[in-house]
C-alpha cells in the first residue's frame, strides 16, 4: 500500500504555542515582573560575592599565617571542626578551629598551614582557601554589569 499526497492538499499540524498571539501577549505583559525578579536575584548574587571577597581580604590582611597541628576533632551537629594548635604571634600556644566538614581533611596529628585572626580563633581557614578567590573581582565586575544592564532594561 502506498500513500500518495497531493501538492495542493494542506498538511494539518498542531500550532506551536511559542508563536501564538496569547503567548506574545503574556510575555510582554509579564516582562517587567520577570525582569525585576532577575534584577533582585542578580543583586543577591552580587551582594554575596562582595561579602565573601571582603571576608577573604580581611582574613588575608589581618590574619596570621602559621603551621598548625590538628589536635582534636570537634563534632557539632554532624559536622567536624578541626581544633588546631600552633604558636601565636606572642609565643603563646593558641588553638584556632578550622571549618566544619562532613569528612575532616586532616587526622589528629597531621599538620597544615592555616590563617587565623588572633581575636577570632573560630574563623580560621586553611591557607590555600584564604589565598583562593583571585577571580572574585572579575565575577563581581561581570555581575555588576549584568545588574546595571538588567536594571536599565527593567526600568526603561
Amino acid at each position: 500500500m502506498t500513500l500518495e499526497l497531493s501538492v495542493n492538499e494542506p498538511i494539518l499540524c498542531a500550532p506551536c504555542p511559542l508563536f501564538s498571539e496569547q503567548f506574545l501577549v503574556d510575555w510582554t505583559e509579564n516582562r517587567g515582573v520577570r525582569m525585576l525578579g532577575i534584577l533582585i536575584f542578580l543583586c543577591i548574587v552580587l551582594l554575596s560575592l562582595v561579602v565573601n571577597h571582603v571576608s577573604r581580604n580581611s582574613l588575608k590582611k589581618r590574619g596570621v599565617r602559621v603551621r598548625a597541628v590538628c589536635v582534636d576533632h570537634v563534632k557539632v551537629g554532624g559536622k567536624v571542626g578541626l581544633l588546631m594548635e600552633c604558636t601565636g604571634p606572642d609565643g603563646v600556644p593558641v588553638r584556632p578551629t578550622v571549618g566544619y566538614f562532613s569528612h575532616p581533611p586532616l587526622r589528629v596529628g597531621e599538620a597544615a598551614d592555616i590563617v587565623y585572626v588572633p581575636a577570632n580563633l573560630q574563623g580560621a581557614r586553611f591557607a590555600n582557601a584564604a589565598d583562593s578567590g583571585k577571580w572574585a573581582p572579575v565575577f563581581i565586575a561581570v555581575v555588576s554589569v549584568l545588574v546595571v544592564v538588567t536594571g536599565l532594561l527593567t526600568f526603561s
Side-chain angles (χ1 to χ4, degrees), residues 3-4 12 20-21 26 35 46 50 55-57 59 67 72 78-79 83 94 97 112 119 123 129 132 136 149 154:
L3 180 64
E4 293 181 24
L12 299 175
S20 69
E21 288 181 34
D26 291 343
M35 293 299 286
L46 180 62
V50 169
S55 170
R56 285 179 191 270
N57 276 348
L59 184 62
R67 184 79 174 168
D72 196 11
K79 300 281 186 173
L83 185 63
V94 292
T97 303
S132 68
V149 168
T154 301

Side-chain angles (χ1 to χ4, degrees), residues 139-150:
F139 291 138
I140 290 171
V142 168
V143 174
S144 297
V145 168
L146 289 174
V147 165
V148 169
V149 168
T150 305

